[in-house]
Amino acid sequence: MLCVWLNGPFGSGKTSAAGELVAQRPRWRLFDPEFVGFMLRSQLTDVPVGDFQDYPSWRRLVPIVADEIAAATGDNLVIVQTVTNREYWAELADGIGGLGHTVRLVLLDADPAVLRRRISEDEVLHRAADWRLAHLPTFARAREKWVAEEADLVVDTTSLSPRATAARIADAIRDWAPDKPDGDPHDLS
């Protein structure tokens, strides 16, 4: 199976683009590793961390959960999670790849002013706006150090709708696996 991991700063449109992508492609499913983090945080209240990604168990469990979802459904996965730590990304990608899946990293990015506006205007995650805004510089440093270099695809979403962003990702998916026949259960359509 193919796992397309959408990484990028808060406000870059990862969740919206992923929703469009899975809506357009019948053999694709959205997986949000944040739920693994929520579960761990609720169970490990006596093991405080600044971010659930700091739990080694999160980095071990995310590939396992992704594999279980893909095995149970037969679907390819669109994984949505901002990752700024290069070592953590290596653990995640190696873990998913070690379970037999192909991992493609897609960097979604946008102009910093646009990111700040989107975060400030987000009505769903408005309570997390300050936290998300405070983490924009962290992602900017990670982008410069490693994310852009390791990404299989970079999409500037500054002036793109979620649908147009999803279309760019879908084009890349076709390029990554052009030989999948329509009847193949691992078809990337």
Side-chain angles (χ1 to χ4, degrees), residues 10 119 128-139 141:
F10 300 108
I119 291 169
D130 290 340
W131 188 88
R132 295 169 78 204
L133 287 166
H135 283 79
L136 288 176
T138 303
F139 191 86
R141 286 188 299 275

Side-chain angles (χ1 to χ4, degrees), residues 9-185:
F10 300 108
S12 61
K14 296 179 302 294
T15 301
S16 298
E20 288 287 338
L21 189 61
V22 299
Q24 297 170 15
R25 304 180 76 81
R27 292 193 171 127
W28 284 82
R29 181 172 300 264
L30 178 62
F31 169 48
D32 187 345
E34 196 164 272
F35 290 102
V36 176
F38 294 154
M39 183 268 302
L40 287 172
R41 184 165 276 156
S42 72
Q43 298 301 310
L44 299 174
T45 57
D46 57 333
V47 183
V49 294
D51 186 311
F52 57 72
Q53 292 184 18
D54 295 330
Y55 289 124
S57 52
W58 181 81
R59 300 186 306 275
R60 287 190 304 268
L61 286 172
V62 165
I64 293 167
V65 174
D67 180 59
E68 289 294 326
I69 292 169
T73 64
D75 291 342
N76 299 288
L77 299 179
V78 177
I79 304 172
V80 178
Q81 182 72 51
T82 298
V83 179
T84 59
N85 184 305
R86 186 179 212 157
E87 290 77 27
Y88 291 2
W89 169 248
E91 287 179 55
L92 294 161
D94 291 348
I96 294 169
L99 293 169
H101 305 285
T102 301
V103 181
R104 297 293 186 171
L105 180 61
V106 175
L107 166 58
L108 299 187
D109 206 358
D111 177 79
V114 171
L115 294 171
R116 287 190 295 279
R117 179 182 51 78
R118 288 176 183 169
I119 291 169
S120 297
E121 294 174 357
D122 189 331
E123 294 181 12
V124 176
L125 297 172
H126 66 277
R127 291 189 309 201
D130 290 340
W131 188 88
R132 295 169 78 204
L133 287 166
H135 283 79
L136 288 176
T138 303
F139 191 86
R141 286 188 299 275
R143 177 184 54 237
E144 294 304 315
K145 287 183 178 181
W146 69 272
V147 179
E149 177 184 313
E150 290 196 24
D152 296 290
L153 174 67
V154 177
V155 180
D156 183 341
T157 67
T158 298
S159 60
L160 293 179
S161 68
R163 182 171 292 215
T165 302
R168 296 241 178 119
I169 298 166
D171 288 344
I173 289 169
R174 281 189 289 279
D175 290 344
W176 292 329
D179 59 340
K180 294 289 182 185
D182 289 339
D184 185 334

